[in-house]
Amino acid sequence: MTAHKSPSNAAHKSPTKSYHEHRGEPLEGAALEECIESLIEGWTTCVDELSQLHTKAESASKPIRGLYTLLKVQQRTLDKLKAKKASQPSPPPSTESNEHGTEPKPLFTPAQYFGMRSCCWDERWSVIKKCRGLVAINKEFARSPKQPVPGGKGWLAYKDKPLQEKPIAVDAVIHSGATWLKFVSISPKTLAYQIAVDGWESDDEEEHDTAYSDDEDQHNGNGNGIAGRNGVQEALGNTEFAESIKKVILAARWNHCHHLHLLLPGLRHGESEPVDSMLRYIREKIGGDDVSVTVSCADSPLLADAPPPLDTALAALVDERDPLVADDCGRITPTANLDPSVLVSLVTDLHHGLVDLQPEFQQKVIARSVSDHTTDSNELVPREDILAKVLYPALRGRKLVTTRLAARYFCQLIASISTHSEEVRASFILPPDAPPALLSPESSSEPLSTASLTPEQRRAELQRWSAVPVPDDLHLPVEIVDDIELEQVPPLIAEGKLPPMALGVAQDLSRLNRSVYLYGWVNRLTTITGHRGIERQICLSLATHWTAPTDDHRRSESDAKNNEIPPDIWHRHLGGYLIHRDKPRDWKALIAEYEECKDGRIPSEVLRWTNPWTTWGRGISTYGLPDTKTWEGVGHADKQSFGRKLQTREERGQRNPVDEQQEEDDEGEEQDMDEDEEQS
């Protein structure tokens, strides 16, 4: 990258005029040369500062998506510009024309200069330096699913498919993922022309007031106010400029960004009636409750004020991000909807570590399980750090809800295969009136009484059973809400609370997953999950049932918004397993040396490990396809047991050896692919 140019060295150079200082002059000859020099200077500084931003973000383990690619492109383009500039021969000292009496051909034309200037990130970077919590830069976002794949084809066939609609480029994602920053270049003259083409010209002030007034009598007296207002809004909304903004809004909805900040450096407030009308239209009519829109013009502080010193700017962009590794929890809604994998992650021994309340033999098993997992894994976040670095930052300060079926399924896991410490934590996570487990194994104990505990006491008790600090603003217990059943989906679509594609998606999901994800979809809540397979299954289903918006501009805004919103899913690897799944295979031999475990005795704390279950079942694989059948009954139709039951070699030996070998080979191949996918 380009070496850093100190401010002192830059101060001794003779200042060059920028394009803005040459406005009103013909951009040719010496003026064009001076603009080129100014562009190279600003571009060099921009690339150097972006390089420093990249270094700081990487050293802080908070990588900024898109920055490295942008930096390479900027450096490569700048190098080409410098090389072409250096190839220009020096002009003769006292002649302005050659021997034929014609002026030498300039190396750059004004059009080429403007093209290079549009590629330079100097002006955009000067604005981003005034922001905080940078998550991504120059990143493209989808506004539609990818092309669908045939039934039975999973994520591997889908992930490289093209998008059904062209993606939208966003200049920066700031505020830890909560806000998109988008520059849009348009001049007042171009905007006025687009509005005139659509059949509207600015009227006098009285007619303008009639068009935008909120006075009911004025609108309803003779209908002219409403007609005038609708005609103006239709003309403004049909312009090419407004359509481009609507596409950004659509992408924001599709990616569940709730705040868009538009930067319009070519426009100024009060510059003309068409400009002011369009700015009002954007603020009042584009966006809505789900996506708020802020507009900054050339005279706004964000564009007009000088940026802070570089060290201050870098600290605000990197250090003030949420304490998540390369994450964007700023976009999670104030109420978070939790699926069973999150509930499991909140109670598993693998995440909470060793506590004195656990017997020594159990602590030894936990330490071994965590050690084995860390040794064999290349995940970004070790299991012992998932609560502190991923889950707690995402949940703290938010109201937490889960559906009744999800709570019951979670209780089934706890009643069947949990340790005593996991069961105790579960009693603090869910309210005392949580649904009972579907099954009641003989080894399950009576429910722990937590009805009288306040939220503060629940957090304090949870802390006693955890080696990880519990945030003071973790809202416990998780509230249990009603399920969404399949028969409720058509009425919700008719009411506009779900898009038409929701019916097909609901039919593709199991009852449990339909309950969880449809509840979040209906209520516009972020559903948090650690189950990548479910997220991918929903993506595959959305691609199948999504239809592109029509070209009818007269379609109502509510219909447009309704069809543009997929379910809001926030997936991160949470390792959502109870320790039962990842306990050492030789756990009985590991604890045999302890007094309470001698002579083959199994202490009550881990007695459920002897139940005939090897896992609680996935239901859906990491590829979004049916997997081992679960207690819920989801999975391959030929599976007759809940989860994976222990089977002896004698039982397996009774099957056809040829068929058995073929099935084991197929399952082994799929398992290897799954393990590779989990590590990615």
Side-chain angles (χ1 to χ4, degrees):
M1 296 300 173
T2 307
H4 177 61
K5 177 179 63 179
S6 66
S8 59
N9 291 337
H12 290 298
K13 291 189 66 175
S14 58
T16 57
K17 288 186 178 182
S18 67
Y19 163 73
H20 298 286
E21 296 171 295
H22 277 292
R23 279 192 173 179
E25 304 176 16
L27 197 58
E28 56 187 18
L32 179 58
E33 286 293 322
E34 204 163 14
C35 287
I36 295 289
E37 288 290 343
S38 176
L39 176 64
I40 292 176
E41 285 184 21
W43 206 337
T44 302
T45 302
C46 173
V47 169
D48 175 63
E49 292 181 353
L50 287 175
S51 180
Q52 293 183 57
L53 173 65
H54 179 262
T55 300
K56 183 176 181 62
E58 292 296 322
S59 62
S61 296
K62 295 180 178 180
I64 298 170
R65 285 171 286 174
L67 177 57
Y68 181 68
T69 301
L70 173 66
L71 194 53
K72 289 196 300 182
V73 172
Q74 289 288 296
Q75 183 68 73
R76 183 169 62 246
T77 310
L78 176 60
D79 289 343
K80 290 181 179 179
L81 173 59
K82 287 182 175 180
K84 186 173 182 179
K85 183 73 170 61
S87 68
Q88 183 180 25
S90 300
S94 59
T95 61
E96 295 185 357
S97 60
N98 56 26
E99 59 184 3
H100 300 289
T102 59
E103 294 184 359
K105 184 179 180 180
L107 190 62
F108 298 99
T109 65
Q112 289 174 324
Y113 163 73
F114 285 117
M116 293 182 295
R117 186 165 167 264
S118 66
C119 296
C120 178
W121 261 67
D122 183 24
E123 293 183 0
R124 277 168 282 190
W125 169 235
S126 67
V127 173
I128 295 173
K129 284 192 288 185
K130 306 170 193 175
C131 302
R132 299 178 180 276
L134 182 62
V135 171
I137 192 168
N138 195 36
K139 179 174 173 57
E140 287 190 341
F141 288 94
R143 55 190 178 98
S144 71
K146 296 180 179 181
Q147 296 288 343
V149 296
K153 297 290 185 180
W155 186 258
L156 292 180
Y158 174 79
K159 66 184 183 68
D160 294 326
K161 289 280 187 178
L163 292 166
Q164 298 189 46
E165 297 282 344
K166 185 178 179 181
I168 295 296
V170 174
D171 295 288
V173 181
I174 56 176
H175 300 152
S176 296
T179 302
W180 283 6
L181 208 62
K182 175 67 176 177
F183 284 78
V184 181
S185 297
I186 190 170
S187 67
K189 183 177 179 180
T190 302
L191 181 59
Y193 173 77
Q194 291 183 9
I195 296 175
V197 166
D198 279 289
W200 178 77
E201 296 179 359
S202 59
D203 301 320
D204 57 32
E205 189 65 27
E206 181 179 354
E207 291 178 344
H208 161 73
D209 287 342
T210 301
Y212 280 90
S213 172
D214 289 330
D215 187 278
E216 290 295 329
D217 295 336
Q218 192 171 25
H219 285 321
N220 298 327
N222 56 14
N224 292 335
I226 294 178
R229 177 188 58 189
N230 291 341
V232 170
Q233 291 178 3
E234 183 177 353
L236 294 174
N238 289 347
T239 60
E240 182 180 346
F241 173 70
E243 288 297 324
S244 67
I245 302 301
K246 289 178 182 178
K247 291 178 181 178
V248 180
I249 295 292
L250 195 158
R253 288 197 178 103
W254 192 264
N255 294 275
H256 306 288
C257 173
H258 305 293
H259 185 209
L260 173 65
H261 196 146
L262 289 175
L263 301 171
L264 309 175
L267 304 180
R268 293 177 181 272
H269 292 281
E271 192 169 20
S272 67
E273 178 59 27
V275 169
D276 289 347
S277 297
M278 179 59 76
L279 294 178
R280 278 194 301 271
Y281 176 79
I282 292 174
R283 291 191 177 101
E284 297 173 7
K285 300 301 178 183
I286 294 184
D289 296 336
D290 54 338
V291 181
S292 62
V293 181
T294 301
V295 180
S296 293
C297 295
D299 50 354
S300 66
L302 187 59
L303 286 170
D305 291 353
L310 182 61
D311 291 344
T312 303
L314 297 185
L317 292 172
V318 177
D319 297 337
E320 295 189 21
R321 270 175 54 179
D322 283 318
L324 285 168
V325 180
D327 228 348
D328 57 350
C329 68
R331 74 167 182 82
I332 300 175
T333 51
T335 298
N337 181 35
L338 312 183
D339 84 340
S341 67
V342 180
L343 300 176
V344 171
S345 298
L346 285 170
V347 304
T348 177
D349 286 338
L350 294 169
H351 293 170
H352 287 276
L354 312 180
V355 293
D356 293 336
L357 294 174
Q358 294 164 332
E360 188 176 348
F361 73 85
Q362 185 179 348
Q363 295 185 44
K364 185 173 183 179
V365 173
I366 295 172
R368 170 80 171 275
S369 298
V370 172
S371 174
D372 289 349
H373 185 273
T374 303
T375 301
D376 298 337
S377 174
N378 62 355
E379 292 165 2
L380 289 175
V381 184
R383 275 192 170 170
E384 60 269 27
D385 294 335
I386 283 178
L387 287 177
K389 292 186 177 182
V390 179
L391 198 50
Y392 282 163
L395 300 183
R396 61 184 306 171
R398 293 180 167 90
K399 180 181 178 181
L400 308 177
V401 301
T402 193
T403 62
R404 193 165 300 278
L405 277 174
R408 176 171 293 179
Y409 188 59
F410 171 67
C411 291
Q412 176 62 57
L413 304 183
I414 297 300
S416 300
I417 58 177
S418 71
T419 63
H420 176 66
S421 52
E422 290 170 335
E423 181 185 33
V424 171
R425 295 189 197 103
S427 69
F428 305 139
I429 296 299
L430 290 183
D433 58 347
L438 297 175
L439 303 176
S440 299
E442 295 179 1
S443 59
S444 64
S445 61
E446 291 297 323
L448 300 175
S449 178
T450 58
S452 61
L453 294 182
T454 65
E456 293 77 13
Q457 290 172 327
R458 286 176 179 271
R459 287 191 293 270
E461 288 298 314
L462 180 61
Q463 186 63 79
R464 292 179 61 233
W465 288 86
S466 178
V468 181
V470 178
D472 293 336
D473 55 352
L474 181 66
H475 293 177
L476 296 178
V478 176
E479 180 182 339
I480 297 178
V481 295
D482 291 334
D483 301 307
I484 300 294
E485 300 290 357
L486 184 60
E487 59 269 17
Q488 296 175 257
V489 176
L492 290 170
I493 294 175
E495 295 172 17
K497 295 181 178 180
L498 284 174
M501 61 181 172
L503 180 58
V505 175
Q507 292 170 338
D508 290 343
L509 297 177
S510 69
R511 186 185 177 207
L512 168 61
N513 293 328
R514 181 165 56 243
S515 159
V516 174
Y517 291 92
L518 267 293
Y519 180 85
W521 202 350
V522 168
N523 295 281
R524 301 293 189 262
L525 302 180
T526 303
T527 300
I528 302 179
T529 181
H531 197 327
R532 176 164 42 193
I534 299 298
E535 181 199 28
R536 291 177 171 179
Q537 183 193 25
I538 293 175
C539 287
L540 294 169
S541 183
L542 286 172
T544 301
H545 301 291
W546 181 82
T547 55
T550 65
D551 294 330
D552 185 2
H553 296 297
R554 289 180 294 277
R555 184 183 56 176
S556 68
E557 285 290 322
S558 60
D559 288 344
K561 295 175 185 176
N562 179 45
N563 198 43
E564 294 164 3
I565 304 177
D568 183 358
I569 303 174
W570 195 83
H571 166 264
R572 295 297 179 273
H573 179 80
L574 301 177
Y577 308 113
L578 298 176
I579 193 175
H580 177 282
R581 179 186 184 274
D582 285 343
K583 64 184 181 298
R585 292 188 178 183
D586 59 342
W587 66 274
K588 290 184 179 180
L590 197 64
I591 67 176
E593 62 183 84
Y594 295 93
E595 185 63 33
E596 59 266 51
C597 305
K598 289 183 177 178
D599 300 326
R601 288 176 292 178
I602 305 298
S604 60
E605 286 84 359
V606 295
L607 185 60
R608 291 176 183 147
W609 287 355
T610 61
N611 288 342
W613 314 101
T614 60
T615 74
W616 55 282
R618 296 181 60 89
I620 301 296
S621 73
T622 57
Y623 302 103
L625 299 174
D627 194 5
T628 307
K629 200 165 188 179
T630 68
W631 286 308
E632 185 200 1
V634 178
H636 291 299
D638 59 345
K639 301 289 184 181
Q640 301 300 319
S641 63
F642 295 130
R644 296 188 181 100
K645 265 197 172 183
L646 295 174
Q647 290 179 308
T648 63
R649 289 186 179 272
E650 289 77 15
E651 290 173 327
R652 291 198 304 268
Q654 296 174 3
R655 301 162 56 193
N656 187 314
V658 177
D659 294 340
E660 175 186 1
Q661 182 63 44
Q662 180 63 41
E663 182 173 335
E664 287 180 355
D665 290 344
D666 294 341
E667 291 180 352
E669 181 180 355
E670 181 176 350
Q671 181 179 3
D672 290 342
M673 294 174 68
D674 265 358
E675 290 174 353
D676 292 340
E677 184 72 6
E678 287 290 349
Q679 300 301 322
S680 63

